[in-house]
Amino acid sequence: QIQPGRSGEGEEPARLRNMDVDVQVIEFKVPTEHNKTLFVWNIPPTFSEADIYAGVSECYRRFGALFSVLVCRGAAGAQPGFYAVVKFYSAEHASRAQRATHGRGLFQEAPLKVSLCTRQNRFFYRNVSYLHSSKCHELANFYLGFNGWSSRVVTLKDLSKSDGPEQVPLGEATQTVNLKYGCIVELIFTKHGVSCRGVGVAEEVFPADTDPEELLMKRGMLQKSAKERAISYAFQKVLLVVLGNGKVAVECKLDPDEILTEEEVDGLIQVNEISWSQFESVGEDEDVLCDLSLNISGIP
């Protein structure tokens, strides 16, 4: 039996080794593995694209948490109709869904044809982004329930500044206004006895003559963005360990530097040596229809 707890950064939790039970490890990242992606076709054009999206989503949501559902019209010159690309977070859920739905008429009379993708473009792997905070919420709620976790803002600070004298020629007015906010968020999994923190920074530069009301609105948007990035970064450290009996344990990859008191946290996000460029793509969940390769030789 797994007892939830913390594990070291980059290390497999010792309690998960040499176990005979069926275990799945769910990470809070965009699923790029081909065995988590289904290709669904033989969908006639008698339905609208919106109806197909609703039908496919409802059908496959029963098998597990979905990252995305993409519905497309068939290529020109091919048989009229639609196809769909369905991405799961779990390879086991994708495999189970493929076996259960291939050759069956679910939301239509004609039987669907469903296959696991066998290859995806390598370019897609080099541009993996972590989940947007909204996707993190959905995935956590699916496995843990709405009351299975919580979050709190440890600190939210205004790091804004205008161009300094060294950036502006003597006698000339400041040309830009820099708005920058930093946030630290803590995720708490009370039932599992673990927690972790994430840091997010949002920044934007505006002309000095920008309307004050617009700047006020932008401040609120940047504060929200910093918080969302902090939540997304915190969830990067979380692993959901799903057992075959449906029980879920939570593991947090703990960085020793994170063990800080509330007083020590104050001012932490003002460190300038950290590069935040790696987080610029966080939240870009726009799904890429990558180069899909299917092995359909054995599919009737």
Side-chain angles (χ1 to χ4, degrees):
Q1 181 180 1
I2 292 180
Q3 299 296 326
R6 292 182 171 133
S7 62
E9 180 78 34
E11 297 179 359
E12 179 188 9
R15 289 177 294 277
L16 303 185
R17 300 191 186 110
N18 303 320
M19 297 186 65
D20 295 329
V21 297
D22 181 25
V23 175
Q24 298 181 68
V25 178
I26 306 297
E27 297 182 84
F28 286 80
K29 66 178 185 179
V30 175
T32 59
E33 299 86 348
H34 60 78
N35 60 354
K36 295 180 180 179
T37 304
L38 294 184
F39 190 80
V40 184
W41 74 104
N42 201 37
I43 305 175
T46 53
F47 297 93
S48 69
E49 189 170 330
D51 289 337
I52 294 172
Y53 178 88
V56 171
S57 298
E58 181 180 359
C59 169
Y60 287 101
R61 192 178 293 117
R62 295 177 297 174
F63 296 95
L66 299 180
F67 168 72
S68 66
V69 175
L70 182 65
V71 177
C72 300
R73 190 176 297 274
Q79 183 177 353
F82 294 87
Y83 65 88
V85 178
V86 182
K87 286 183 179 290
F88 287 85
Y89 290 98
S90 162
E92 173 61 28
H93 291 165
S95 177
R96 189 185 308 162
Q98 190 276 330
R99 295 193 303 269
T101 60
H102 174 64
R104 295 186 57 187
L106 300 173
F107 57 90
Q108 58 178 37
E109 294 183 3
L112 291 175
K113 293 185 178 181
V114 185
S115 175
L116 286 168
C117 294
T118 58
R119 180 174 63 87
Q120 290 183 304
N121 196 320
R122 292 182 181 179
F123 177 80
F124 186 77
Y125 290 94
R126 293 199 299 267
N127 291 274
V128 175
S129 64
Y130 287 90
L131 293 181
H132 186 274
S133 60
S134 61
K135 290 283 190 181
C136 292
H137 285 203
E138 291 176 5
L139 187 56
N141 290 339
F142 181 89
Y143 283 103
L144 303 175
F146 292 96
N147 298 321
W149 67 282
S150 61
S151 65
R152 72 182 184 96
V153 175
V154 178
T155 183
L156 176 62
K157 288 204 169 185
D158 185 354
L159 308 177
S160 306
K161 63 178 180 178
S162 298
D163 291 333
E166 70 281 1
Q167 298 172 307
V168 182
L170 185 63
E172 294 186 14
T174 299
Q175 299 299 310
T176 61
V177 176
N178 180 286
L179 296 184
K180 184 176 183 180
Y181 286 87
C183 183
I184 297 178
V185 168
E186 182 176 32
L187 301 178
I188 304 169
F189 305 90
T190 304
K191 295 181 181 179
H192 302 272
V194 295
S195 63
C196 61
R197 290 179 176 180
V199 180
V201 173
E203 180 179 14
E204 193 169 349
V205 178
F206 303 90
D209 58 353
T210 303
D211 184 79
E213 291 187 3
E214 181 180 352
L215 285 178
L216 182 62
M217 181 181 66
K218 291 294 185 180
R219 285 182 184 275
M221 294 173 63
L222 287 172
Q223 290 175 8
K224 179 181 178 181
S225 180
K227 178 183 176 182
E228 289 175 345
R229 292 184 178 192
I231 291 174
S232 177
Y233 183 49
F235 268 112
Q236 293 180 32
K237 305 173 184 179
V238 178
L239 298 177
L240 301 179
V241 184
V242 185
L243 304 183
N245 59 9
K247 293 185 178 181
V248 180
V250 177
E251 293 281 344
C252 289
K253 295 178 285 186
L254 181 64
D255 184 344
D257 294 336
E258 285 188 5
I259 306 176
L260 302 171
T261 64
E262 296 297 321
E263 292 75 14
E264 291 172 324
V265 165
D266 187 42
L268 176 65
I269 56 178
Q270 297 185 43
V271 177
N272 296 322
E273 287 76 8
I274 299 176
S275 172
W276 300 105
S277 60
Q278 58 180 310
F279 304 119
E280 290 303 315
S281 62
V282 172
E284 299 299 326
D285 285 330
E286 186 173 322
D287 197 23
V288 178
L289 183 58
C290 49
D291 178 19
L292 302 174
S293 176
L294 307 173
N295 180 7
I296 61 176
S297 59
I299 300 179

